[in-house]
Amino acid sequence: MLKWFRRKFKKKTEETPSAEGTSPETPVQETSSPEPPPPETPSLATPVTESVAPSAEEAAEEKKLWDRFKKGLTKTRERLREGLAELFEVDRLVDQAFLEELEELLITADIGIETVNRLLEPSRRKLLLGEPLKVSELKRSLREEILRMLDLPTPPFPPEASPAVVFFIGVNGVGKTTTLAKVAWHLKERGFSVLAVAADTFRAAAIEQLVTWGERVGFEVIRQAQGADPGAVVYQGLEAAKARGVDVVLVDTAGRLHTKYNLMEELKKMVRVAGKVVPEAPHENILVLDATTGQNAVSQAKLFGQAVRLDSLILTKMDGTAKGGIAITVAHLFRLPIRFVGLGEKMEDLAPFEPRAFVQALMP
């Protein structure tokens, strides 16, 4: 369960996270603790809590996450259920008309046509060969194909670098700054020290928003005045992170239209600056997408991917849309693992993505 989301140290079960009382310096002190030797690197992806009733803790975490997905995907599930309930009600033999009706229903959940065709390909092949196919078999096949699309190889997070540099990329209005703060909260809960870089120097109040989040969650923000060169802010932030021994640097970039050439060039420049200060940085570029925009997210992923390397996705506002199928589409088309999905307003509602929980919540 969530083997990709590693911990730095064992979290005491009696500790209660606080949004306000956390000092940015406290996690930094933890960097003096010895890291696991290289041969044991894969174990970093597994929570250190294994020594204390791992099965009970993992089961509790899994159930909590599955319940959160079920609640957050209610709108998409209900839209699918309205049509699927009638289609799947009787375990009869499937015909071409049945598949056409199912295709329309999947598209209404914002699963793209190319992805829908791939999902239904095994069933269509059976019909073409004249093999009998029952509704129960089709449903099982559909779930397996969705899971196959979503269950991609997922590198450990945060990346295993010191410091690990993560860029948050996307258009205006997708919630990058808030998402960054929630990721910072998750990282601090897992024992990592976090520093944020306010490289969005264009949007009014963007710097102040990130500083406010830093005060609430407990991480330091490196910033300059509004209108400053974003590359210079990135440089300053990464130098500060190196000097202070910070584990993870989260870089908030300006929201930019993916169709604006000059702004995309500015993003490329920031990436180059990061690589000069920290070897191989940024170690992960996360594209933040608003799930409510539906298929527009596909064009955003395509064009941002042409400008910079994309490593993973975060889908926000998943709880506010009946178009949750977009998660399947972007994962299928771009082969990018989904790190988190937004299922509510609270910190913990930015849920680490678990493909099986997602599929179970979408198609029980």
Side-chain angles (χ1 to χ4, degrees):
M1 182 73 176
L2 295 181
K3 291 184 178 180
W4 57 267
F5 202 0
R6 61 192 184 98
R7 293 182 188 272
K8 187 177 180 185
F9 62 75
K10 183 172 69 176
K11 191 79 175 173
K12 293 182 180 179
T13 55
E14 65 268 21
E15 288 182 354
T16 303
S18 170
E20 272 119 356
T22 311
S23 168
E25 287 74 27
T26 303
V28 177
Q29 296 173 358
E30 295 293 338
T31 57
S32 62
S33 61
E35 293 290 337
E40 299 180 6
T41 299
S43 67
L44 289 173
T46 305
V48 189
T49 51
E50 284 187 77
S51 59
V52 184
S55 58
E57 290 188 15
E58 287 178 1
E61 182 182 5
E62 182 172 346
K63 183 180 185 305
K64 185 177 181 181
L65 187 59
W66 283 46
D67 289 344
R68 191 172 294 143
F69 272 105
K70 187 174 181 181
K71 180 180 178 182
L73 293 172
T74 298
K75 291 186 178 181
T76 300
R77 187 173 62 253
E78 289 302 322
R79 170 171 285 191
L80 284 173
R81 182 179 294 172
E82 289 174 6
L84 293 180
E86 184 177 343
L87 272 179
F88 292 157
E89 184 176 9
V90 180
D91 192 17
R92 59 188 177 88
L93 289 175
V94 174
D95 56 20
Q96 190 60 40
F98 183 101
L99 287 182
E100 289 176 1
E101 189 172 351
L102 177 58
E103 178 180 334
E104 291 180 11
L105 286 169
L106 294 175
I107 291 173
T108 64
D110 237 339
I111 303 177
I113 294 176
E114 185 177 341
T115 303
V116 169
N117 287 336
R118 180 64 188 86
L119 290 173
L120 298 181
E121 183 181 331
S123 300
R124 285 177 173 147
R125 190 184 306 119
K126 273 200 166 189
L127 290 186
L128 285 174
L129 293 174
E131 298 178 15
L133 176 64
K134 300 188 74 174
V135 168
S136 56
E137 296 176 75
L138 171 59
K139 185 176 181 180
R140 184 170 57 253
S141 171
L142 191 59
R143 291 179 62 180
E144 289 172 355
E145 290 298 324
I146 292 175
L147 182 59
R148 190 174 290 111
M149 289 179 178
L150 294 173
D151 197 10
L152 299 170
T154 307
F157 187 82
E160 296 175 280
S162 183
V165 181
V166 181
F167 272 45
F168 287 74
I169 297 168
V171 301
N172 282 312
V174 297
K176 285 191 304 299
T177 304
T178 300
T179 298
L180 182 153
K182 291 180 178 181
V183 171
W185 178 84
H186 276 289
L187 290 170
K188 286 174 64 63
E189 285 296 291
R190 288 174 175 256
F192 295 95
S193 57
V194 178
L195 182 145
V197 177
D200 181 357
T201 60
F202 297 103
R203 180 169 65 89
I207 299 171
E208 289 77 7
Q209 182 187 5
L210 188 58
V211 169
T212 299
W213 275 117
E215 293 170 351
R216 289 179 57 185
V217 177
F219 58 84
E220 186 179 358
V221 177
I222 299 299
R223 63 190 188 275
Q224 293 185 17
Q226 184 177 350
D229 178 7
V233 185
V234 170
Y235 180 88
Q236 179 187 356
L238 296 187
E239 287 290 358
K242 288 166 59 180
R244 298 169 198 181
V246 172
D247 296 323
V248 186
V249 181
L250 306 179
V251 180
D252 187 24
T253 66
R256 57 200 73 229
L257 291 173
H258 49 288
T259 54
K260 295 294 185 181
Y261 176 80
N262 59 325
L263 293 180
M264 297 300 273
E265 289 301 307
E266 184 66 43
L267 178 60
K268 293 178 185 178
K269 175 185 172 183
M270 293 165 62
V271 168
R272 291 194 299 269
V273 169
K276 291 178 181 178
V277 182
V278 177
E280 300 182 3
H283 303 101
E284 183 157 348
N285 292 325
I286 301 179
L287 178 63
V288 183
L289 298 172
D290 180 345
T292 64
T293 62
Q295 291 299 309
N296 191 39
V298 173
S299 62
Q300 292 173 26
K302 180 180 179 180
L303 292 170
F304 272 107
Q306 291 173 353
V308 296
R309 184 195 77 244
L310 297 179
D311 301 296
S312 59
L313 302 168
I314 292 179
L315 290 168
T316 63
K317 309 175 188 177
M318 186 73 82
D319 59 313
T321 179
K323 301 179 178 182
I326 192 61
I328 304 168
T329 301
V330 292
H332 168 233
L333 295 180
F334 301 101
R335 301 287 297 171
L336 293 172
I338 300 172
R339 288 293 193 191
F340 299 88
V341 291
L343 300 173
E345 296 298 324
K346 297 178 182 178
M347 287 290 173
E348 60 270 25
D349 288 335
L350 183 71
F353 187 72
E354 210 295 315
R356 292 183 183 278
F358 181 90
V359 175
Q360 177 65 26
L362 196 65
M363 294 188 66

